[in-house]
Amino acid sequence: MKILLLLGFVAVALAEVTRFDGPESADLVTIDIDVDLHVPAAHTDMVYTILQQSGMETGVLIEDLQAQMEEQLDNRTPDPRVHSYTKYNSWDKIQAWISSISSSNPDLISRQVIGNTYEGRPMNVLKIGKKSSSTKPSIFMDCGIHAREWISTAFCQWFVKEALSTYGSDSEMTGLLNQMDVYVLPVFNIDGYDFTHNSNRMWRKTRSRMYSSSCIGADPNRNWNAGWCTTGASSNPCSDTFCGSSPESEIEVKNVADFIRRNKSSIKAYLTIHSYSQLLLFPYSYTFELAEHHSELMTVAEGASKALRSLHGTQYTSGPGAATIYPAAGGSDDWAYDLGVKYSYTFELRDTGRYGFLLPESQIKPTCEETMLAVKYITSHVQKNLY
């Protein structure tokens, strides 16, 4: 096993902003996998000693996580009111962008609120495609299920921009939007995302509260009714991988699940964007059993990874979730696949741990550019293989 360390966590809070974060669930640690550990600064010597005695291969990824957080954002300070596709935008900016881009492109885009978050924020789904009098086959894509994965939400905004700006000039995008609609949920876990900007940069879960616990939130990618809470998830409300009190206990998950169920006859692909690890995953994660369409899903994933690699040489690994990363029940891609959405994929974007969740803003553009190639590869296959 190789252990990669993220050192220098400082256990203090200033102005209510959390400056450290606890580790993920130890239940996910198995033999022959890479593990990133978050180590409080005061404990680094002890951890080093234990790891050296164990004989495991170790290396430091981030010497001082707090410093890395502060360096993630570009030093060139933009107008705080202006949305940018190469910046990590706050929720307020994204909300204004959703309103602006949908109203200024009425021929290609519309929006609908599919429900509110736990804290009352509207969940807007953007529908992109040439208007049609009949229901078109569609693709559903969401970003930001996990709050701290900022590059994920940046990609959904980039995708919308590219779809609108290249329609009519790019034959592939034009053909896609003429024949199909693409539903985009720019930020899934809005409450958590807003919390990462204002209080705790490394927050992962929702912000719901349970009467039986003082701990807040559940993991919205362990909360789906797909082998719910059987493996790779925790029943402890204080865990980062808490599966929730029941399937779809998180209102955000229920809102999206209800939308997909209502439109399942037209939705032919489900894409969910995460970070980090540079993986393109497909069902299953809650079991090691192969999906019915395993061979085709693997072929498409490998083709998409090759297309992605062609731009900047970024290496992705493809495969079913359980075997490729680790078993994890209650995931959205497994749920969508079991519902009947054949082409169900999870992207884990850049990088492989050097920056982790703190991918610098300078990498937004290349990450989104290469990911567009993979997404277009998948959507092209779906378009040619409607079922």
Side-chain angles (χ1 to χ4, degrees):
M1 180 190 295
K2 180 169 62 177
I3 299 290
L4 302 173
L5 303 182
L6 290 77
L7 305 179
F9 275 73
V10 182
V12 298
L14 299 177
E16 302 303 316
V17 176
T18 304
R19 296 173 63 87
F20 66 97
D21 185 49
E24 300 261 350
S25 173
D27 296 338
L28 300 179
V29 178
T30 60
I31 295 172
D32 292 330
I33 65 170
D34 292 351
V35 179
D36 296 358
L37 298 180
H38 299 173
V39 181
H43 298 160
T44 55
D45 289 343
M46 177 184 68
V47 172
Y48 264 133
T49 299
I50 293 172
L51 292 176
Q52 287 173 347
Q53 290 174 346
S54 73
M56 288 186 282
E57 179 186 350
T58 64
V60 177
L61 285 174
I62 300 175
E63 191 74 38
D64 186 335
L65 191 61
Q66 182 62 38
Q68 191 66 64
M69 289 180 187
E70 294 165 359
E71 293 173 5
Q72 180 184 22
L73 305 182
D74 197 318
N75 290 328
R76 293 171 295 170
T77 304
D79 185 332
R81 298 164 296 178
V82 177
H83 174 277
S84 171
Y85 292 105
T86 56
K87 302 287 183 186
Y88 292 122
N89 300 292
S90 66
W91 168 242
D92 289 343
K93 287 183 187 177
I94 296 174
Q95 189 174 32
W97 168 81
I98 288 172
S99 177
S100 174
I101 202 162
S102 54
S103 61
S104 59
N105 296 273
D107 294 337
L108 276 181
I109 189 170
S110 62
R111 65 170 170 149
Q112 61 176 298
V113 175
I114 63 170
N116 292 329
T117 66
Y118 180 83
E119 294 180 343
R121 296 177 174 89
M123 296 178 69
N124 285 275
V125 166
L126 300 176
K127 179 182 178 181
I128 308 171
K130 184 180 179 181
K131 296 294 187 292
S132 172
S133 58
S134 58
T135 301
K136 294 157 65 180
S138 61
I139 293 163
F140 187 94
M141 178 166 63
D142 62 50
C143 294
I145 283 184
H146 289 141
R148 62 193 176 194
E149 296 170 11
W150 286 7
I151 187 60
S152 163
T153 57
F155 176 72
C156 264
Q157 295 161 67
W158 187 278
F159 177 87
V160 173
K161 170 187 75 75
E162 284 294 297
L164 298 177
S165 64
T166 63
Y167 178 81
S169 59
D170 178 80
S171 59
E172 193 173 5
M173 183 63 75
T174 304
L176 172 65
L177 299 183
N178 282 343
Q179 185 179 354
M180 303 185 73
D181 291 322
V182 182
Y183 293 108
V184 179
L185 178 60
V187 186
F188 189 119
N189 182 7
I190 303 171
D191 295 346
Y193 182 74
D194 188 65
F195 191 69
T196 62
H197 277 263
N198 297 310
S199 297
N200 183 345
R201 174 63 185 86
M202 300 300 285
W203 187 258
R204 168 184 170 100
K205 300 191 288 182
T206 61
R207 297 293 298 165
S208 61
R209 293 176 180 269
M210 294 175 55
Y211 292 114
S212 59
S213 174
S214 60
C215 292
I216 294 174
D219 184 337
N221 206 40
R222 300 293 188 275
N223 191 234
W224 301 76
N225 194 12
W228 178 77
C229 219
T230 54
T231 183
S234 174
S235 58
N236 178 2
C238 299
S239 169
D240 260 359
T241 57
F242 175 47
C243 59
S245 58
S246 61
E248 299 180 25
S249 62
E250 303 312 288
I251 188 60
E252 296 86 356
V253 172
K254 180 168 174 51
N255 288 341
V256 175
D258 283 346
F259 178 84
I260 294 176
R261 278 190 287 258
R262 286 195 303 270
N263 295 278
K264 77 171 190 174
S265 61
S266 73
I267 295 177
K268 305 304 178 184
Y270 171 75
L271 306 178
T272 182
I273 313 299
H274 290 248
S275 72
Y276 58 95
S277 288
Q278 294 173 197
L279 305 172
L280 184 46
L281 308 173
F282 53 86
Y284 284 109
S285 290
Y286 70 81
T287 176
F288 282 98
E289 292 183 15
L290 298 184
E292 178 185 352
H293 307 98
H294 172 84
S295 295
E296 183 183 3
L297 292 173
M298 177 64 94
T299 298
V300 174
E302 289 177 338
S305 296
K306 182 178 179 181
L308 184 153
R309 185 169 62 251
S310 70
L311 186 60
H312 299 297
T314 308
Q315 295 284 339
Y316 267 58
T317 301
S318 304
T324 307
I325 181 168
Y326 46 65
S332 61
D333 57 350
D334 285 356
W335 175 86
Y337 182 79
D338 282 347
L339 187 70
V341 182
K342 178 180 176 181
Y343 300 106
S344 184
Y345 288 99
T346 293
F347 280 81
E348 295 282 357
L349 303 184
R350 292 189 188 185
D351 55 8
T352 56
R354 169 61 183 86
Y355 295 103
F357 302 118
L358 306 177
L359 195 71
E361 285 183 326
S362 60
Q363 292 198 35
I364 293 176
K365 184 174 185 286
T367 301
C368 290
E369 287 174 336
E370 67 190 14
T371 308
M372 278 297 301
L373 297 180
V375 168
K376 288 172 73 174
Y377 184 95
I378 294 171
T379 58
S380 177
H381 182 88
V382 174
Q383 188 180 351
K384 295 169 186 173
N385 294 273
L386 295 174
Y387 55 95

